[in-house]
Amino acid sequence: MNAPAPTGSWSRVEFYTSFFLLAVLATVIGMRLGFADVWHLPTIDLDLSVIALPLVLASFWLARHSRRWRLAIVTFAAATQLVPMVVREPILLVPLLGALVPVAILVGCLVALSKKGSSNQPPKGS
């Protein structure tokens, strides 16, 4: 029941999680650009979204072997969507800060899982 985690399982969790985040970001940015004709999208938002969408789509191929690049692209794409809105409407910062609570819980759980996986491995030299 408590079999040791296979080597590299934490890397697989991060790999699939970051690709899922990239897929969600690509969907959100694509939807925003798709509705740009229906609802007015400020020029800076439009420009940043036009830059972020190809970058996110290309990252599925270009950043498939680099954790650093995947996380940098996720951070950049999320920032291109959030920062301009918060600059225009600072009150939007309140729900974003509230959203940090479940994110912090998730990160804490992932860190705990990563430590659990490393403690189940037999000591080296045995």
Side-chain angles (χ1 to χ4, degrees):
M1 192 94 169
N2 287 335
T7 305
S9 64
W10 174 247
S11 294
R12 283 194 303 247
V13 168
E14 182 277 326
F15 179 80
Y16 290 115
T17 302
S18 61
F19 271 93
F20 177 75
L21 281 171
L22 287 168
V24 169
L25 279 168
T27 304
V28 168
I29 295 169
M31 294 285 284
R32 273 189 91 188
L33 288 174
F35 284 110
D37 290 337
V38 178
W39 293 290
H40 173 69
L41 192 61
T43 306
I44 188 73
D45 288 11
L46 183 64
D47 293 343
L48 289 173
S49 294
V50 165
I51 293 169
L53 185 61
L55 184 63
V56 169
L57 293 175
S59 69
F60 285 106
W61 177 258
L62 298 174
R64 67 185 184 277
H65 296 298
S66 174
R67 174 183 299 159
R68 184 176 305 171
W69 276 104
R70 280 192 305 273
L71 295 178
I73 291 170
V74 166
T75 303
F76 173 76
T80 62
Q81 303 306 300
L82 296 175
V83 171
M85 289 189 295
V86 171
V87 168
R88 276 192 309 279
E89 296 289 333
I91 195 68
L92 291 175
L93 196 59
V94 174
L96 288 174
L97 290 175
L100 283 178
V101 172
V103 170
I105 292 169
L106 175 67
V107 168
C109 291
L110 289 173
V111 168
L113 283 172
S114 72
K115 291 182 179 183
K116 180 181 183 250
S118 64
S119 66
N120 284 339
Q121 295 176 356
K124 292 184 180 182
S126 296

